[in-house]
């Protein structure tokens, strides 16, 4: 028991770094973490029930939620195991973006700004829903069934929290010393996240749909990787992940079928990513200027 407490104490207090890892070791560590995360989903499902069952069944969701939650709780210990002591480094929890916010400004910058930027990506679908006025669109927000509570728990709570901690908080610190914290990181790190979704083919999901999920999750992973690198915290990526799961994949195919949507939604539906790219640096820069101005005024007062 004392050794376990010592390990957690090291995770929370000992400064470490990951620059000693080779490219192969870093990639292997990321793929290993992804394999463990996905593997437990099937390990906790009895073999006799792996065929003919639904991943949306409450019993399946409960088993899997507990399994990935356990993996996530133990993930800092795994990251500590492959780290090296470094007096100039950060603790494992700081590397993973799980540290306590240093200030209210940091809390808002790490959460509200990323969420606001993510909303910009969904301006088209949001306006579309408003103009359509039909709540029964098949998305998570319109589900009304015995499965809803468990679907909500999985999609809006468990998946965003556990996936962002493992696929961003665990992997970004490992890959950053090798690829840097810029665009290459936002391209390479999300590929592991996309690959982790290929297992849906085992569950009977058609291959074209699985490949589409791989592309979509890889792109989304690039966005949350950028937010994690920009804020140094998992709060923003988790909120964005939860919001994106709530909204679902943008229904591009429905625009042409509703003439009243074309004019107001076209300017924000397809260029949503462009809006995001244009606003992201501006939002963080404006926040820094605003905080500096408030602090300066308070000091002068």
């Amino acid at each position: 028991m004392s050794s376990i407490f010592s390990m957690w104490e090291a995770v929370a207090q000992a400064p470490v770094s990951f620059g000693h890892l080779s490219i192969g070791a870093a990639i292997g560590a990321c793929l290993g973490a992804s394999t463990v995360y996905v593997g437990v989903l099937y390990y906790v499902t009895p073999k006799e029930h792996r065929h003919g069952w639904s991943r949306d069944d409450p019993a399946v969701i409960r088993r899997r939620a507990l399994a990935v939650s356990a993996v996530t709780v133990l993930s800092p210990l795994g990251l500590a195991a492959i780290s090296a002591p470094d007096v100039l480094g950060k603790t494992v929890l700081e590397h993973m973006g799980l540290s306590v916010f240093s200030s209210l400004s940091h809390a808002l910058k790490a959460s509200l700004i990323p969420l606001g930027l993510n909303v910009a990506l969904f301006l088209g679908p949001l306006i579309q829903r408003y103009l359509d006025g039909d709540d029964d669109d098949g998305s998570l927000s319109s589900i009304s069934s015995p499965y809803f509570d468990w679907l909500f728990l999985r999609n809006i709570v468990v998946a965003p929290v556990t996936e962002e901690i493992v696929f961003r908080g665990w992997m970004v610190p490992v890959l950053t010393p090798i690829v840097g914290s810029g665009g290459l990181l936002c391209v390479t790190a999300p590929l592991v996240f996309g690959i982790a979704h290929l297992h849906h083919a085992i569950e009977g999901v058609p291959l074209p749909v699985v490949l589409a999920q791989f592309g979509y999750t890889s792109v989304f992973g690039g966005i949350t990787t950028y937010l994690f690198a920009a804020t140094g915290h998992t709060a923003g990526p988790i909120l964005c992940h939860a919001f994106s799961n709530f909204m679902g994949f943008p229904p591009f195919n429905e625009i042409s079928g509703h003439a009243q949507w074309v004019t107001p939604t076209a300017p924000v539906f397809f260029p949503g990513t462009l809006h995001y790219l244009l606003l992201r640096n501006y939002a963080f820069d404006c926040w820094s200027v605003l905080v500096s101005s408030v602090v300066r005024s308070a000091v002068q007062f």
Side-chain angles (χ1 to χ4, degrees):
M1 184 66 70
S2 60
S3 61
I4 296 178
F5 284 121
S6 299
M7 293 174 65
W8 277 107
E9 184 178 7
V11 166
Q13 298 180 4
V16 299
S17 64
F18 304 93
H20 65 289
L21 296 175
S22 64
I23 296 178
I27 295 176
C30 292
L31 292 177
S34 176
T35 301
V36 171
Y37 184 94
V38 176
V40 298
L41 297 178
Y42 295 94
Y43 179 78
V44 299
T45 304
K47 293 182 179 180
E48 61 270 21
H49 296 304
R50 290 180 186 175
H51 299 286
W53 53 268
S54 171
R55 63 188 296 267
D56 294 334
D57 185 279
V60 174
I61 294 177
R62 286 194 294 269
R63 283 175 172 266
R64 290 184 162 189
L66 290 174
V68 296
S69 296
V71 169
T72 303
V73 170
L74 296 175
S75 63
L77 297 179
L79 192 61
I82 63 172
S83 66
D86 186 348
V87 294
L88 299 178
K90 300 184 293 185
T91 68
V92 170
L93 294 183
E94 289 173 338
H95 276 292
M96 296 184 70
L98 297 173
S99 58
V100 178
F101 292 115
S102 58
S103 64
L104 177 60
S105 172
H106 182 210
L108 295 177
K109 178 181 179 180
S111 56
L112 294 186
I113 290 181
L115 181 59
L117 289 171
N118 199 55
V119 171
L121 285 173
F122 288 89
L123 283 178
L126 286 170
I127 294 176
Q128 173 182 324
R129 288 189 180 189
Y130 174 76
L131 294 177
D132 185 42
D134 183 7
D135 293 331
D136 188 16
D137 57 1
S139 67
L140 181 64
S141 58
S142 64
I143 293 177
S144 178
S145 72
Y147 297 98
F148 173 69
D149 290 340
W150 288 105
L151 285 173
F152 185 91
L153 178 67
R154 181 191 67 190
N155 293 352
I156 308 301
V157 180
V158 176
V161 172
T162 60
E163 290 181 5
E164 292 307 320
I165 290 177
V166 172
F167 289 93
R168 247 62 68 184
W170 207 96
M171 298 182 186
V172 169
V174 172
L175 293 174
T176 298
I178 297 174
V179 301
S181 58
L184 188 57
L185 175 66
C186 297
V187 173
T188 55
L191 289 178
V192 181
F193 184 56
I195 292 173
H197 286 77
L198 295 179
H199 74 93
H200 289 305
I202 303 175
E203 301 175 345
V205 178
L207 183 59
V209 176
V210 172
L211 294 177
Q213 288 178 335
F214 167 77
Y216 177 70
T217 53
S218 296
V219 171
F220 177 77
I223 294 173
T224 53
T225 297
Y226 169 81
L227 294 174
F228 179 85
T231 63
H233 210 279
T234 55
I238 288 173
L239 290 174
C240 291
H241 196 148
F243 180 78
S244 297
N245 281 0
F246 180 79
M247 291 297 298
F249 188 79
F252 297 106
N253 61 312
E254 296 183 5
I255 296 181
S256 59
H258 296 74
Q260 74 273 24
W261 289 350
V262 176
T263 301
T265 61
V268 292
F269 214 114
F270 293 99
T273 301
L274 177 59
H275 293 167
Y276 172 85
L277 294 175
L278 293 175
L279 287 172
R280 59 178 189 176
N281 290 331
Y282 179 76
F284 286 115
D285 290 343
C286 284
W287 179 259
S288 298
V289 172
L290 176 62
V291 172
S292 299
S293 300
V294 171
V295 172
R296 190 181 304 109
S297 299
V299 171
Q300 292 176 350
F301 178 77

